[in-house]
């Protein structure tokens, strides 16, 4: 019974982590920036002219105005944005088969004349897919702010980045629990 509960916990953590990764991938508030070159230091200190940068757009937030410039020209984008986009899209797309595979291995679900050895193999494969999602998301969510820091002044991390970290950690936890509690 305890093993089944842990397996369900790992599955729930993987699903919640996947949802977090999907939201982080789609939103554009990865880092909050202030362009000191075009603004004076006092404006940045008062946080009056902030911008946010994400995988898909650069946004400017001045008092009363919020404007986003969509990053559509793929060939002119910095390499870190292209790579982070690819990693997050891969993690998001990989989530559906991972969740489906893990759901079919829960103790309360039996597919036809499912043998324990095939269920165990599917469980390991599902756990590995969830771990792969976590690794891709962790690489992207660490690489993006580090590379952005070298290009501009970062004031803080945005909610999308925090959500990406939380989603990746949930996937990491869920993947390890799924693999460790898969039985024999």
């Amino acid at each position: 019974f305890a093993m089944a509960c842990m397996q369900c916990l790992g599955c729930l953590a993987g699903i919640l982590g996947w949802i977090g990764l999907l939201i982080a991938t789609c939103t554009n508030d990865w880092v909050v920036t202030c362009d000191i070159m075009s603004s004076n230091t006092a404006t940045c200190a008062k946080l009056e002219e902030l911008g946010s940068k994400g995988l898909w757009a650069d946004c400017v937030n001045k008092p009363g105005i919020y404007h986003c410039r969509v990053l559509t020209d793929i060939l002119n984008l910095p390499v870190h944005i292209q790579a982070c986009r690819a990693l997050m899209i891969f993690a998001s797309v990989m989530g559906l088969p991972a969740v489906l595979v893990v759901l079919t291995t829960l103790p309360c679900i039996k597919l036809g004349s499912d043998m324990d050895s095939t269920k165990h193999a599917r469980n390991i494969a599902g756990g590995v897919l969830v771990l792969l999602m976590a690794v891709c998301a962790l690489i992207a969510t660490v690489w993006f702010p580090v590379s952005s820091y070298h290009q501009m002044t970062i004031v803080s991390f945005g909610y999308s980045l925090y959500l990406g970290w939380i989603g990746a950690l949930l996937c990491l936890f869920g993947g390890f629990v799924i693999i460790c509690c898969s039985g024999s």
Side-chain angles (χ1 to χ4, degrees):
F1 180 73
M3 201 69 98
C5 288
M6 290 298 288
Q7 198 172 356
C8 290
L9 176 69
C11 182
L12 181 65
I15 291 172
L16 290 176
W18 178 47
I19 291 170
L21 294 180
L22 284 171
I23 295 171
T25 302
C26 295
T27 53
N28 285 314
D29 196 22
W30 280 50
V31 290
V32 178
T33 62
C34 185
D35 189 7
I36 293 181
M37 299 305 178
S38 65
S39 306
N40 58 18
T41 310
T43 305
C44 289
K46 290 189 243 176
L47 302 177
E48 290 177 351
E49 190 175 317
L50 293 177
S52 63
K53 188 173 181 72
L55 297 176
W56 310 104
D58 290 338
C59 302
V60 176
N61 190 11
K62 295 180 183 179
I65 300 172
Y66 185 77
H67 176 71
C68 290
R69 180 180 62 90
V70 180
L71 304 173
T72 56
D73 194 7
I74 294 175
L75 297 177
N76 289 335
L77 286 176
V79 173
H80 75 277
I81 293 178
Q82 294 178 26
C84 291
R85 277 183 179 183
L87 287 166
M88 290 303 287
I89 290 171
F90 179 78
S92 298
V93 170
M94 189 57 59
L96 183 61
V99 166
L100 291 176
V101 167
V102 169
L103 283 176
T104 63
T105 63
L106 290 177
C108 56
I109 296 176
K110 187 148 178 95
L111 298 176
S113 59
D114 215 7
M115 298 179 66
D116 286 341
S117 61
T118 59
K119 198 168 192 173
H120 174 71
R122 271 199 328 267
N123 199 23
I124 296 292
V128 168
L129 289 176
V130 173
L131 286 176
L132 187 61
M133 288 170 33
V135 168
C136 288
L138 278 176
I139 291 170
T141 55
V142 169
W143 189 4
F144 188 88
V146 169
S147 296
S148 295
Y149 174 75
H150 294 298
Q151 292 181 342
M152 65 193 70
T153 304
I154 294 180
V155 177
S156 68
F157 299 136
Y159 75 90
S160 301
L161 195 64
Y162 288 120
L163 193 57
W165 284 334
I166 291 168
L169 291 176
L170 280 171
C171 286
L172 199 63
F173 171 74
F176 279 126
V177 169
I178 289 167
I179 289 174
C180 292
C181 297
S182 66
S184 55

